[in-house]
Amino acid sequence: MGEVIRGILIPFIGTTLGASCVLFMKKMMNKMVQRALTGFAAGIMVSASVWSLLIPSMDYAAEMGKFAFVPAVVGFWIGILFLLAMDHIIPHLHMDTDKAEGPKSKLKKTTMIVFAVTLHNIPEGMAVGVVYAGYLAGNMQISAMGALALAIGIAIQNFPEGAIISMPLKAEGMSKGKAFLYGVLSGVVEPIGAVLTVVASGFIIPVLPYFLSFAAGAMMYVVIEELIPEMSHGDHSNIGTVMFAVGFTLMMILDVALG
């Protein structure tokens, strides 16, 4: 159980370390660097969705024969629709835009930015939780090292995400300490979501392939709806594309080497 707790906390540590950048950096993060980090995070999330979630989902449902794809497809679409619904229910604001999404609200701009990141951290926490739930249940398709690879991969992509949330908050006039705290709080939903998923493993295991693909669909929604537009915005967007490829291959290496 100790390795499960450590695995669940690893992504949160990544967010915290990223958010701490605001304590040491004097200026706003360079746009080129931000674009590169966003592309890197997107690459890791897409790779994790494929190698750590969708493929294990289909492997787990192998007994269904040629219909083994069904849980992966159904869960994937439920994940997409879930995030789509959350985007319409929760007021939030993406980076580099002044137009809020979701229901009308009088919330501050900084609060809605934090809501946006927090909302999109939910599927990452669930992804770690459902993989560890499968490992604890003795699922042969999920090893301790494979689950650890996913946790490390998400932690790596959380580092730039933590910096990308805390630095703009400081630029909006928030103090360094408060910007750091908000950056950390945006990642709290990950271990909470992971723990709740593990606790509910008794209900999850019978439909594990659906939950694996659900997390994949939710993460892919985040990548397509938020990260890819951000990494492609403005001139010299190829840096985002290159870093996407770096993130994708790094997560693939982690999953294969550790899994």
Side-chain angles (χ1 to χ4, degrees), residues 20-99:
S20 69
C21 291
V22 75
L23 302 175
F24 308 103
M25 299 176 67
K26 295 182 179 180
K27 297 181 180 180
M28 179 66 179
M29 185 181 293
N30 180 277
K31 288 290 184 182
M32 188 73 74
V33 174
Q34 184 171 327
R35 190 176 297 130
L37 293 177
T38 301
F40 179 74
I44 284 182
M45 290 180 72
V46 171
S47 187
S49 296
V50 174
W51 295 94
S52 301
L53 298 169
L54 288 175
I55 291 177
S57 172
M58 287 183 281
D59 288 343
Y60 190 87
E63 61 184 21
M64 297 177 66
K66 62 182 179 181
F67 294 105
F69 66 87
V70 172
V73 171
V74 172
F76 185 87
W77 269 102
I78 293 175
I80 292 283
L81 295 174
F82 173 76
L83 260 291
L84 180 62
M86 290 297 99
D87 261 357
H88 284 84
I89 293 172
I90 299 175
H92 59 283
L93 184 68
H94 296 302
M95 304 293 180
D96 299 324
T97 179
D98 292 320
K99 186 177 180 181

Side-chain angles (χ1 to χ4, degrees), residues 107-126:
L107 293 173
K108 293 181 180 179
K109 179 179 180 181
T110 52
T111 302
M112 287 196 288
I113 289 176
V114 173
F115 272 5
V117 176
T118 303
L119 170 65
H120 293 160
N121 276 339
I122 293 174
E124 296 167 21
M126 289 188 66

Side-chain angles (χ1 to χ4, degrees), residues 143-162:
S143 66
M145 294 304 289
L148 179 63
L150 176 63
I152 292 174
I154 290 180
I156 292 172
Q157 78 92 23
N158 277 355
F159 180 85
E161 196 169 73

Side-chain angles (χ1 to χ4, degrees), residues 9 15 20 38-41 54 90-91 93 97 103 106 116 136 146 156 167 177 190 201 221 258:
L9 290 176
T15 302
S20 69
T38 301
F40 179 74
L54 288 175
I90 299 175
L93 184 68
T97 179
K106 294 182 180 180
L136 289 173
I156 292 172
M167 295 301 291
E190 290 192 15
S201 60
Y221 179 92
L258 296 181

Side-chain angles (χ1 to χ4, degrees), residues 10-20 117 121 124 154-155 158-159 161-163 165 180 183-188 190:
I10 286 173
F12 177 63
I13 293 171
T15 302
T16 302
L17 292 175
S20 69
V117 176
N121 276 339
E124 296 167 21
I154 290 180
N158 277 355
F159 180 85
E161 196 169 73
I165 179 73
F180 168 71
V184 171
L185 289 177
S186 71
V188 168
E190 290 192 15

Side-chain angles (χ1 to χ4, degrees), residues 236-259:
H236 307 295
S237 60
N238 53 350
I239 184 65
T241 304
V242 171
M243 290 305 293
F244 177 97
V246 171
F248 186 95
T249 51
L250 176 61
M251 184 64 222
M252 181 171 60
I253 291 169
L254 279 173
D255 189 85
V256 175
L258 296 181

